[in-house]
Amino acid sequence: MSPPPDPRQNHLLAALPEEDYAHFSLLMEWVQMPLGKVLYEPGIQMRHVYFPTDSIVSLLYVMEDGSSAEIAVVGNEGVVGVSLFMGGETTPSRAVVQSAGYAYRLKGQLLKNEFYRAGPMQGLLLRYTQALLTQMAQTAVCNRHHSLDQQFCRWLLLSLDRLSSNELIMTQELIAGMLGVRREGVTEAAGNVQKAGLIKYSRGHITILDRVGLEKRVCECYAVVKKEFDRLLPE
Amino acid sequence: MSPPPDPRQNHLLAALPEEDYAHFSLLMEWVQMPLGKVLYEPGIQMRHVYFPTDSIVSLLYVMEDGSSAEIAVVGNEGVVGVSLFMGGETTPSRAVVQSAGYAYRLKGQLLKNEFYRAGPMQGLLLRYTQALLTQMAQTAVCNRHHSLDQQFCRWLLLSLDRLSSNELIMTQELIAGMLGVRREGVTEAAGNVQKAGLIKYSRGHITILDRVGLEKRVCECYAVVKKEFDRLLPE
DNA sequence: ATCATAGTGTACGGTATCGTACGGATCGTA
DNA sequence: TACGATCCGTACGATACCGTACACTATGAT
């Protein structure tokens, strides 16, 4: 068993003043985040919020007919479970681990107490939520106007930014579920990007060869979201 | 000149306890909201928040190439300018009046003061923001999976819910801009819905003939959003 | 070494929307 | 009542993605 990761790999926790963080660190619980683990189901009361350190969580909506679409992705820059402090307690979407790793979790009530104490955590959480809002909005725009190739690049880059590695463990089948398209569509998009020499993949392992090339190929949506995250939550 | 409308046509203002509302009402300013008026531009510091009484505001993202897409719509159920109290001050999107009417506005700083006093307004604003989040998420999903016919119906119903009338003043050109499609596409969708006897329109005037019929034809996205607004902000 | 399985490649007709072009209808205004 | 402007209808080839079907290949288990 590997040792627990540093909680402050999570940017929100890292941004807290030492005092506040010390308080938090006593309350948080280290948890594994295996691929595919479901953190929340739509409409079900959430028990915890999760601060990923090196895992990635996908927020996705699953429709009545079974098709799905990712609406946002959360990694070490944020927190899963904003609806707890926003007051809704539940959301109509689902939270699934998209890239395995670890996270620290906190009982919902404890986070709410902290939030309503109006300490430094409150501002952080609110600004993060606004960034999340931007990500969702931009996903809507991207779904409307951009090609699958571009959306695939956006998805890759958003995921990469939330990992320390340049390799993703992810089958085309799963990516298709996130993007809300057919698996065959992803095969083609990924094939194009591979032919261009930007990535290499085989059986669920995607290796980034040319990140700059990806950034040239992606639509503007990626930069809009990234810029907004950097603006709202500077290092 | 018609007399100023009752501010409490706005549901957020109406939900405030008498005391808090009395305080607010002294600070708010009545403004006209003519069709097409731009309230915010992307990246520009916002000066006011707007509480619509009978107007509708569209939040839309305009892309580099000039194409656009609506990411959410705000009427008397909410407030325009959540990024002020969320802490971001700006957003990458644009706010345009989509249906003429009136609103009450409040200087940004005054709303922030109120928000951080943690009175009843704070909870309202947070829950409203979560509802807005849901609307954006569902827009993303709808853009991905549903036909233009269904999206047109969703747009109609979301707009209707924010008006007291059963008539919309809206050209197909403008609707196309909101939905992020060609004007001709809207002509076809609207034609289909009219053939089905659900609406009647001519030169920018859309009259709803059969609202129940619309609700049968729309995709699930409409109900998801409506249910979530009702849950988070009950009358 | 064999085999089942998960993951990927390819193909092909079907469909919704696009881009573009142009014609017709209705309205406000002179 | 004539005219320009706005708004809407229609048409047609192009294209991106879908739905479906099936074959191939790397991997892990036995």
Side-chain angles (χ1 to χ4, degrees), chain A residues 88 90 133 144 151 179 231, chain B residues 88 130 133 144 151 179 231:
Chain A
T90 70
L133 224 98
R144 163 64 63 209
Q151 295 187 38
L179 294 181
R231 182 178 78 85
Chain B
Q130 192 189 329
L133 224 97
R144 163 65 61 212
Q151 294 186 38
L179 294 181
R231 181 178 79 85

Side-chain angles (χ1 to χ4, degrees), chain A residues 61 64 68 71 83 86 88 90 126-127 129-130 133 137-138 140 143-145 151 179-180 220 224 231-232, chain B residues 61 64 68 71 83 86 88 90 126-127 129-130 133 138 140 143-145 151 179-180 220 224 231-232:
Chain A
Y61 181 83
E64 288 161 3
S68 64
I71 53 187
S83 65
M86 293 299 283
T90 70
L126 289 177
R127 287 203 305 284
T129 303
Q130 193 189 331
L133 224 98
Q138 210 63 32
N143 282 352
R144 163 64 63 209
H145 287 292
Q151 295 187 38
L179 294 181
E220 62 194 274
V224 170
R231 182 178 78 85
L232 292 166
Chain B
Y61 181 84
E64 289 161 3
S68 64
I71 54 186
S83 64
M86 294 299 283
T90 71
L126 289 177
R127 287 203 305 284
T129 303
Q130 192 189 329
L133 224 97
Q138 209 63 32
N143 282 351
R144 163 65 61 212
H145 287 292
Q151 294 186 38
L179 294 181
E220 63 195 276
V224 169
R231 181 178 79 85
L232 292 166

Side-chain angles (χ1 to χ4, degrees), chain A residues 115-166:
Chain A
F115 183 86
Y116 289 109
R117 258 196 31 229
M121 192 49 141
Q122 188 184 55
L124 276 174
L125 290 174
L126 289 177
R127 287 203 305 284
Y128 171 70
T129 303
Q130 193 189 331
L132 195 64
L133 224 98
T134 300
Q135 194 187 153
M136 289 185 184
Q138 210 63 32
T139 303
V141 171
C142 201
N143 282 352
R144 163 64 63 209
H145 287 292
H146 297 136
S147 72
L148 184 45
D149 271 40
Q150 289 186 304
Q151 295 187 38
F152 175 69
C153 292
R154 172 176 62 86
W155 187 90
L156 272 182
L157 286 168
L158 282 178
S159 298
L160 278 176
D161 287 347
R162 285 156 180 78
L163 289 175
S164 37
S165 133
N166 71 331

Side-chain angles (χ1 to χ4, degrees), chain B residues 55-74:
Chain B
S55 53
I56 303 184
V57 175
S58 185
L59 307 185
L60 47 85
Y61 181 84
V62 181
M63 301 202 304
E64 289 161 3
D65 69 357
S67 55
S68 64
E70 185 177 84
I71 54 186
V73 55
V74 182

Side-chain angles (χ1 to χ4, degrees), chain B residues 78-108:
Chain B
V79 60
V80 183
V82 299
S83 64
L84 272 169
F85 56 83
M86 294 299 283
E89 305 288 335
T90 71
T91 72
S93 63
R94 195 173 181 187
V96 187
V97 175
Q98 175 208 305
S99 179
Y102 301 95
Y104 282 81
R105 76 178 187 187
L106 190 61
K107 281 214 164 51

Side-chain angles (χ1 to χ4, degrees), chain B residues 8-181:
Chain B
R8 304 192 94 175
Q9 282 177 34
N10 180 281
H11 297 355
L12 293 181
L13 296 176
L16 283 179
E18 206 53 56
E19 254 186 45
D20 299 73
Y21 172 68
H23 171 65
F24 257 78
S25 64
L26 299 174
L27 306 172
M28 289 187 310
E29 179 186 3
W30 172 60
V31 287
Q32 295 199 24
M33 307 275 271
L35 178 63
K37 177 175 168 126
V38 175
L39 303 182
Y40 302 138
E41 286 286 359
I44 305 293
Q45 168 87 35
M46 305 175 170
R47 305 171 67 94
H48 298 89
V49 291
Y50 293 80
F51 295 91
T53 54
D54 58 350
S55 53
I56 303 184
V57 175
S58 185
L59 307 185
L60 47 85
Y61 181 84
V62 181
M63 301 202 304
E64 289 161 3
D65 69 357
S67 55
S68 64
E70 185 177 84
I71 54 186
V73 55
V74 182
N76 65 356
E77 89 292 354
V79 60
V80 183
V82 299
S83 64
L84 272 169
F85 56 83
M86 294 299 283
E89 305 288 335
T90 71
T91 72
S93 63
R94 195 173 181 187
V96 187
V97 175
Q98 175 208 305
S99 179
Y102 301 95
Y104 282 81
R105 76 178 187 187
L106 190 61
K107 281 214 164 51
Q109 191 55 54
L110 294 175
L111 185 82
K112 278 194 270 188
N113 295 345
E114 171 63 22
F115 182 86
Y116 290 109
R117 260 196 31 228
M121 193 48 142
Q122 188 185 55
L124 276 174
L125 290 174
L126 289 177
R127 287 203 305 284
Y128 171 70
T129 303
Q130 192 189 329
L132 196 63
L133 224 97
T134 299
Q135 196 188 149
M136 290 186 184
Q138 209 63 32
T139 303
V141 171
C142 201
N143 282 351
R144 163 65 61 212
H145 287 292
H146 297 136
S147 73
L148 182 46
D149 271 40
Q150 289 185 304
Q151 294 186 38
F152 175 69
C153 291
R154 173 175 62 86
W155 187 89
L156 272 181
L157 287 168
L158 283 177
S159 298
L160 278 176
D161 288 347
R162 285 156 181 78
L163 289 175
S164 37
S165 133
N166 69 332
E167 186 180 348
L168 282 166
I169 312 293
M170 199 73 195
T171 67
Q172 300 186 347
E173 184 83 45
L174 288 173
I175 299 178
M178 308 283 175
L179 294 181
V181 297

